[in-house]
């Protein structure tokens, strides 16, 4: 029998960006995910080189802010995580808030902590295809718990 599965379990990539690590909100960001029943299934801290940041943001290569963004993303340590849960891609984006903190809904991570449209505390994948690509940029399947 066909079963409508509107809330299938998904995975997404979350990053606490260098400004989030610097501001000491790693724990607060994770708390907001866990509070919503989202599980962390892989996590590590690393400091990207400029080339690694450019590789991660390759889709933005033609944007005017690409150089500034990749300088920022390689400016200090980050925390990368795989999140798992029902509809977690959209739910994470909602918890994060809009890219520009001035436009982000009240109570979102970016509204509460972000300093600018660029230094906006968190990254979150925006679709299933990009989630898969971004997760595998940082983690092999062996390093994700099931
Ligand atoms: P996101 O999915 O909300 O992270 O936004 P995008 O995919 O559009 O952009 C990726 C990242 O590039 C954002 O999170 C920001 O760090 C940065 N960014 C986006 N738009 C701008 C902009 O207009 N100016 C600058 N300097 N950075 C931007």
């Amino acid at each position: 029998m066909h079963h409508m599965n509107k809330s299938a379990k998904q995975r997404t990539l979350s990053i606490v960006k260098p400004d989030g690590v610097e501001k000491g909100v790693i724990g607060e960001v994770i708390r907001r995910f866990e509070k919503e029943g989202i599980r962390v299934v892989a996590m590590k801290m690393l400091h990207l080189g400029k080339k690694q940041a450019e590789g991660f943001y390759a889709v933005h290569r033609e944007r005017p802010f690409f150089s500034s963004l990749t300088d920022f993303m390689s400016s200090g340590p980050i925390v990368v995580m795989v999140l798992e849960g029902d509809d977690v891609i959209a739910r994470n984006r909602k918890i994060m808030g809009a890219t520009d903190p001035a436009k982000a809904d009240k109570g979102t991570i970016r509204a509460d902590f972000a300093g600018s449209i660029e230094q906006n505390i968190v990254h979150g994948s925006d679709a299933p295809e990009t989630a898969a690509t971004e997760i595998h940029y940082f983690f092999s399947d062996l390093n994700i718990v099931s």
Side-chain angles (χ1 to χ4, degrees), residues 4 13 40 45 92 96 120 127-128 143:
M4 287 297 287
L13 187 80
V40 177
M45 176 174 267
N92 178 43
M96 290 163 58
N120 58 5
N143 293 316

Side-chain angles (χ1 to χ4, degrees), residues 3-13 36-41 82-92 127-129 131-132 135 144-146:
H3 175 68
M4 287 297 287
N5 197 356
K6 283 195 75 179
S7 57
K9 192 154 83 173
Q10 289 179 330
R11 285 176 175 172
T12 193
L13 187 80
E36 300 295 329
I38 294 169
R39 310 294 299 183
V40 177
V41 294
V82 180
L83 305 179
E84 187 175 84
D86 289 344
D87 197 26
V88 74
I89 296 171
R91 285 167 65 213
N92 178 43
E129 298 71 31
I135 287 168
I144 304 172
V145 301
S146 50

Side-chain angles (χ1 to χ4, degrees), residues 17 57 59-60 63-66 68-69 72-73 93 96-100 110 116-126:
K17 295 182 178 183
Y57 278 118
V59 293
H60 292 307
R63 307 284 282 276
F65 55 81
F66 182 69
S68 174
L69 171 62
F72 163 57
M73 288 300 289
R93 301 277 303 180
M96 290 163 58
T99 310
D100 181 351
R110 284 164 164 173
S116 72
I117 192 168
E118 180 173 280
Q119 303 205 4
N120 58 5
I121 307 286
V122 278
H123 169 84
S125 310
D126 63 3

